[in-house]
Amino acid sequence: MSLEKVDALVVKSVDYSESSLILNVFTREMGKVRGLAKGARRLKNPFETSLDLLASIRLSFIRKNSDALDLFTEAKLRRRFRPTTRNIRGLYAGFYVAELLDFSTVDYEPDPDLWTLADATLERLQFRRNVAARLAYFEAGALNSLGEFPSVRHCVDCGEELPLERVTNLGRRVFFDVSSGGVVCSRCRASKPHYGLTPTTIGALKVFDVSLVGSEKTLRTARTLENWRRALEEETTGLCSIDKLEREEQTRLAFEALDDETLTPYESFPYEARVAYRELVEKYICQVLRRRPRSLDQLPFALARPEKPTEEQTSVEQTSEAS
Ligand SMILES: [Zn+2]
């Protein structure tokens, strides 16, 4: 048995007995860890009510040598996951990130890049802007870390290049083989039978493509922010609170400018391409995980599609129902 201290994200929480919880956490240093938090449901406890789903915490635990659950002994909150009011998109996207992490990570196999990407994604999903873009970047990063990022630029069968840049018609139909993980060229499709090919569009493939670059950029900006925060802490020690607030505000604005730049590639795609991407990525992720995250049932309405039908759409629907 050894005592460990790690940065962790709570990805699953189940009540266990009247006073305790069983938790799955994804840690920066040790990958997934499952453990028992005794007394966590009591009013007074060593976890300071920091064990909510998706909380980012500093966790101490005793690693058991046998198959038994590890024992969580103490936790300090770094950040709660609390999306701003009316940010239903961010909320469900967060639940989905939790499930993806829980299903795709392995006990005691660290993946610090994925951890940093997840932590940064969750921090920013709390705000209402650009939820779909952040999620697409996270999906790309998660698939990449599993070694399952699909082949979108080359035929998955013969390797022939699909000149993504040169095809400007985003709505052009192409076929994607979900089980082999990539696009299939027309020659391969004609020359041998493929079962269960998914029709999709060039637009969806392009969104996939920019999302991988986006996930790498998000990771870089997340590291930059970590460095800035550390520097800010040192710089502002001893400053009066007004100067300190001003420095914090400057940092925040500088970071937002950097962050917006990261999001532009996804945001520049039209609505139809994003919808086609969501349909494809969800099908593909279910195949990779060999199960369907439950949070996906809430997600479609929450992402590429508008949150509520506009008045115009509603009246069109009513007219067509009446006729
Ligand atoms: Zn081919």
Side-chain angles (χ1 to χ4, degrees):
M1 291 201 299
S2 55
L3 181 69
E4 311 284 352
K5 271 196 170 189
V6 290
D7 288 329
L9 297 164
V10 178
V11 294
K12 189 179 179 187
S13 167
V14 180
D15 291 349
Y16 177 76
S17 81
E18 269 185 19
S19 59
S20 303
L21 293 171
I22 288 181
L23 300 159
N24 291 2
V25 296
F26 177 51
T27 73
R28 193 203 295 258
E29 298 83 352
M30 303 178 76
K32 185 156 70 182
V33 174
R34 305 159 198 262
L36 177 68
K38 277 190 187 163
R41 301 182 66 205
R42 290 210 186 96
L43 213 51
K44 275 202 153 202
N45 66 64
F47 305 103
E48 300 172 359
T49 62
S50 62
L51 299 179
D52 295 346
L53 191 65
L54 292 173
S56 183
I57 58 177
R58 184 79 186 151
L59 174 74
S60 306
F61 71 95
I62 296 168
R63 185 166 171 184
K64 295 284 180 73
N65 294 325
S66 63
D67 282 345
L69 286 171
D70 291 336
L71 189 65
F72 294 175
T73 55
E74 203 183 333
K76 288 217 172 348
L77 189 67
R78 294 173 68 238
R79 185 191 64 246
R80 220 180 272 290
F81 181 66
R82 191 161 280 174
T84 49
T85 3
R86 294 180 49 223
N87 181 9
I88 298 290
R89 293 172 186 233
L91 184 72
Y92 284 119
F95 292 159
Y96 175 56
V97 168
E99 279 190 289
L100 282 190
L101 288 173
D102 191 32
F103 296 168
S104 70
T105 57
V106 179
D107 293 8
Y108 309 118
E109 266 187 29
D111 187 341
D113 283 353
L114 183 62
W115 192 90
T116 304
L117 179 66
D119 191 51
T121 302
L122 289 170
E123 179 170 2
R124 283 169 248 163
L125 279 179
Q126 300 185 92
F127 308 101
R128 204 143 167 256
R129 295 166 55 234
N130 315 98
V131 168
R134 297 188 197 290
L135 200 62
Y137 292 179
F138 179 75
E139 287 169 322
L143 285 170
N144 196 37
S145 92
L146 283 171
E148 298 279 4
F149 190 81
S151 174
V152 293
R153 287 177 165 267
H154 296 91
C155 169
V156 73
D157 273 2
C158 69
E160 191 189 59
E161 191 180 356
L162 181 74
L164 267 195
E165 273 93 8
R166 273 185 281 135
V167 188
T168 48
N169 176 8
L170 296 183
R172 198 175 110 188
R173 227 153 100 104
V174 281
F175 287 86
F176 188 96
D177 187 339
V178 173
S179 49
S180 10
V183 63
V184 177
C185 75
S186 50
R187 215 174 326 128
C188 286
R189 196 157 54 87
S191 67
K192 68 172 189 178
H194 284 80
Y195 300 100
L197 282 186
T198 301
T200 184
T201 65
I202 288 287
L205 298 183
K206 286 195 180 203
V207 174
F208 245 124
D209 197 48
V210 300
S211 295
L212 185 59
V213 182
S215 79
E216 284 153 9
K217 280 191 183 158
T218 305
L219 191 60
R220 279 201 297 276
T221 58
R223 291 205 188 104
T224 306
L225 185 64
E226 276 180 357
N227 291 338
W228 283 357
R229 280 180 175 158
R230 224 169 292 141
L232 190 69
E233 225 166 86
E234 282 169 23
E235 261 175 57
T236 54
T237 314
L239 282 187
C240 75
S241 53
I242 292 197
D243 289 346
K244 202 171 167 173
L245 280 178
E246 197 173 311
R247 286 289 294 113
E248 278 168 8
E249 181 64 5
Q250 280 169 1
T251 305
R252 191 181 65 79
L253 291 174
F255 177 71
E256 274 179 10
L258 194 68
D259 193 37
D260 281 348
E261 215 174 280
T262 310
L263 296 166
T264 314
Y266 177 96
E267 296 293 338
S268 58
F269 279 99
Y271 167 67
E272 293 75 15
R274 301 185 201 185
V275 173
Y277 166 77
R278 287 272 15 121
E279 281 168 3
L280 182 61
V281 73
E282 289 177 15
K283 204 164 185 185
Y284 181 56
I285 279 181
C286 292
Q287 169 73 25
V288 168
L289 298 175
R290 307 212 175 272
R291 62 202 288 192
R292 183 178 164 83
R294 275 167 54 196
S295 49
L296 273 184
D297 297 341
Q298 275 81 32
L299 263 189
F301 85 87
L303 287 175
R305 288 154 221 185
E307 225 173 344
K308 277 185 197 160
T310 58
E311 277 173 28
E312 208 175 300
Q313 282 172 320
T314 317
S315 69
V316 169
E317 276 164 24
Q318 280 164 353
T319 319
S320 60
E321 268 171 33
S323 58

